[in-house]
Amino acid sequence: MGSVWSERRSAAPGSRPLDHRTPWQRDRARVLHSAAFRRLQSKTQILGIGQNDFYRTRLTHSLETAQIGTGLLNQLRLNADDTVRAFLPEDNLMEALCLAHDLGHPPFGHGGETALNYKMLAYGGFEGNGQTLRIVSKLEPYTEHHGMDLTRRTLLGLLKYPVLQPMLTAPTQLDNPLSLAPWKPAKAIFAADSAILDWILAPLSATDRQAFQQTQVLDDSPWQKSRYKSLDASIMELADDIAYGVHDLEDAIVLGNISFSQWQQFTAEPFAALSHEQQQALQAVGVKLFAKAHHLRKDAIGSLVNQLITSVSLYESLPRCEEPLIRFNACLTEAEQHILQTLKQLVYRCVIQQPTIQQSRFRSQNMLLKLFDAFASDPQRLLPLNTQQRWLDAADKTAKQRVICDYISGMTDDYAERMYSSLFGS
C-alpha cells in the first residue's frame, strides 16, 4: 500500500539505529508493551474477574483474537490473486488490531460501558471503541501529544464505527436510575476526537468518504450506527466474533454454565436450517463438547474454529469506491455465519442473561455511577494528582468530565472495586 497509510500523526520518523522493523511491527510492539494492554488482564470478558482462574479475561480473549485474525488472513491469501494480496494487511498489522481492539473497554464489561455512557450523555457519551481510539491516539503516554502514535492504516483498522457521535439527550432526572437499559451507547467516535478521525480518513476522496461514512438508524435503538468499516476492521471483527462465539462457549461448558440439554434445546431449531451433512457434523461436535475427556472438547473447539476460518472470503461492500481498503470487506459464508450467530446467542441466552450474571452487572454498574459522582463532585480533592492536572488543563466542563471518564474507564475491575471500597466502605 502507499506510504500515506504508513504515516504517523506526529510525522516523526520513529525509527532507531539499526531498527529494520516494518511500521506494522512497530505498531504491534507499541500495543503489546502498553499499560492499557496490561490492564486487560484484570478486566471482565463475561464472568467477573477473580471468580475462577480458568476462564478468559479481556487479555486472553485479545490474544486468541489475534491468533484467529492471522488465521483468517492466511486463508484469504490462499484464495487471492496477486492484485488482492497486495492490499491485504500484514500479519503484524492484523495482530496489532486484534490485540488493541478491546483497549477502550471500561471495567465490568458492557455493563460498565452503559454506566459511563449514562454519566456522559450531556458531554458527548461513552462507547468502548471510541475510547480505544482515544487511548491509542491521545492517552497512552508513548508520545507527548499523540498517544501510541500508530500508523494511519492501523487507526483505520481500529475504527469499527468510523462516524461521529450524534447529538445525545441528557437525562432529566438527577438521581441515578436503577435500570440503565435505555442508555446503551451509540456506536460512534466522540466529537472531541473529530480531528483524529479527519486525519485518518484524509487519504480518501470526498466521494469515497461520503460513501464510507453512511449511517443507519436501528429499529430497536434511538441511535444511529455506521454501515461500513474498512477491510482490516472487518477481518478483526470476524476474529473477535469467532473468539467470543467459540472460546467463551468453551468457558461456559467447562464451568457448567451450559449443559448438553441446553445445547440441544437452543441449537436444534437454528441448525435445522443447515444442510444434512452440516447438521450431522455439528451433532458430532456437540457430543465432543460435553464429553468427560478434555481432549475431545478441545478437538471440538478446534474443529469449530477451523470450520469458521476456512469459510472466509472477500466481497465488495462499497464497489464504487476507489480505495481498496474500504471497497472490500471479509465475510463468512452464509451457513458459517449462521452457525457463529447461533453460538453467540447460546452464550448470551444461557450465560449472560442468567440472573447471577445480571445481578453482578447491576452491582458493578452502580459502583461506577457512584464513583463518577464522587470524582465529579470534588475532583481536586479525590482525583490522583496527574489526573487532577489534566482536569485543571481541560478547557471547559465537557472536557473536564471527559477527563474523569477517561480515568474511570481505564480502571481494571480490581482497581475499581478497591477505589469504591476506599471511598464508600466495603
Side-chain angles (χ1 to χ4, degrees), residues 118-131:
Y118 176 79
K119 285 300 181 184
M120 290 297 292
L121 284 171
Y123 310 102
F126 179 84
E127 193 275 329
N129 190 246
Q131 190 66 17

Side-chain angles (χ1 to χ4, degrees), residues 262-281:
Q262 286 176 309
W263 163 270
Q264 293 176 310
Q265 175 188 352
F266 287 104
T267 63
E269 184 177 345
F271 286 170
L274 301 171
S275 70
H276 178 68
E277 292 77 12
Q278 288 173 320
Q279 290 182 54
Q280 285 190 315

Side-chain angles (χ1 to χ4, degrees), residues 92-321:
N92 284 289
L93 171 55
M94 183 50 52
E95 287 194 4
L97 296 178
C98 293
L99 293 173
H101 82 282
D102 268 352
L103 292 182
H105 269 285
F108 311 122
H110 290 292
E113 182 183 43
T114 304
L116 289 180
N117 182 59
Y118 176 79
K119 285 300 181 184
M120 290 297 292
L121 284 171
Y123 310 102
F126 179 84
E127 193 275 329
N129 190 246
Q131 190 66 17
T132 295
L133 181 64
R134 282 183 67 76
I135 288 171
V136 300
S137 59
K138 282 186 176 181
L139 302 179
E140 187 68 28
Y142 188 91
T143 62
E144 185 177 3
H145 300 295
H146 301 294
M148 296 184 198
D149 198 26
L150 303 179
T151 59
R152 180 184 267 116
R153 180 166 180 175
T154 300
L155 294 177
L156 177 68
L158 287 173
L159 294 178
K160 291 173 68 174
Y161 317 109
V163 296
L164 293 178
Q165 288 269 10
M167 291 296 295
L168 302 175
T169 303
T172 55
Q173 65 186 73
L174 297 177
D175 296 331
N176 293 325
L178 288 178
S179 173
L180 288 172
W183 309 108
K184 292 181 180 179
K187 303 297 186 181
I189 302 304
F190 307 136
D193 300 323
S194 61
I196 300 170
L197 182 62
D198 287 341
W199 182 82
I200 296 170
L201 302 183
L204 301 181
S205 68
T207 303
D208 276 10
R209 178 166 178 173
Q210 182 179 18
F212 184 54
Q213 292 190 289
Q214 292 179 60
T215 60
Q216 59 184 344
V217 177
L218 303 180
D219 294 337
D220 59 348
S221 169
W223 308 125
Q224 68 180 26
K225 181 180 180 181
S226 56
R227 297 181 61 187
Y228 301 104
K229 57 181 65 67
S230 70
L231 165 66
D232 300 347
S234 73
I235 302 171
M236 175 266 285
E237 190 168 47
L238 277 181
D240 184 23
D241 282 351
I242 293 172
Y244 166 72
V246 179
H247 292 303
D248 288 353
L249 171 64
E250 180 183 15
D251 281 359
I253 292 171
V254 172
L255 296 174
N257 293 315
I258 295 180
S259 66
F260 185 53
S261 61
Q262 286 176 309
W263 163 270
Q264 293 176 310
Q265 175 188 352
F266 287 104
T267 63
E269 184 177 345
F271 286 170
L274 301 171
S275 70
H276 178 68
E277 292 77 12
Q278 288 173 320
Q279 290 182 54
Q280 285 190 315
L282 287 166
Q283 186 177 9
V285 164
V287 172
K288 287 184 176 182
L289 282 174
F290 293 89
K292 291 184 179 180
H294 295 323
H295 71 279
L296 294 178
R297 185 187 68 249
K298 296 304 294 185
D299 181 62
I301 292 295
S303 296
L304 282 172
V305 172
N306 179 71
Q307 180 179 356
L308 297 170
I309 287 178
T310 54
S311 75
V312 71
S313 63
L314 295 182
Y315 72 102
E316 291 186 279
S317 58
L318 286 167
R320 297 185 180 180
C321 285

Side-chain angles (χ1 to χ4, degrees), residues 52-125:
N52 190 288
D53 60 3
F54 171 82
Y55 54 71
R56 273 84 178 172
T57 64
R58 289 277 173 190
L59 180 67
T60 57
H61 163 75
S62 297
L63 293 171
E64 289 174 335
T65 300
Q67 185 271 324
I68 293 170
T70 55
L72 290 166
L73 258 185
N74 290 333
Q75 188 67 28
L76 289 171
R77 291 194 192 105
L78 185 67
N79 299 320
D81 57 31
D82 291 341
T83 303
V84 172
R85 285 195 195 97
F87 59 75
L88 286 174
E90 291 183 12
D91 284 1
N92 284 289
L93 171 55
M94 183 50 52
E95 287 194 4
L97 296 178
C98 293
L99 293 173
H101 82 282
D102 268 352
L103 292 182
H105 269 285
F108 311 122
H110 290 292
E113 182 183 43
T114 304
L116 289 180
N117 182 59
Y118 176 79
K119 285 300 181 184
M120 290 297 292
L121 284 171
Y123 310 102

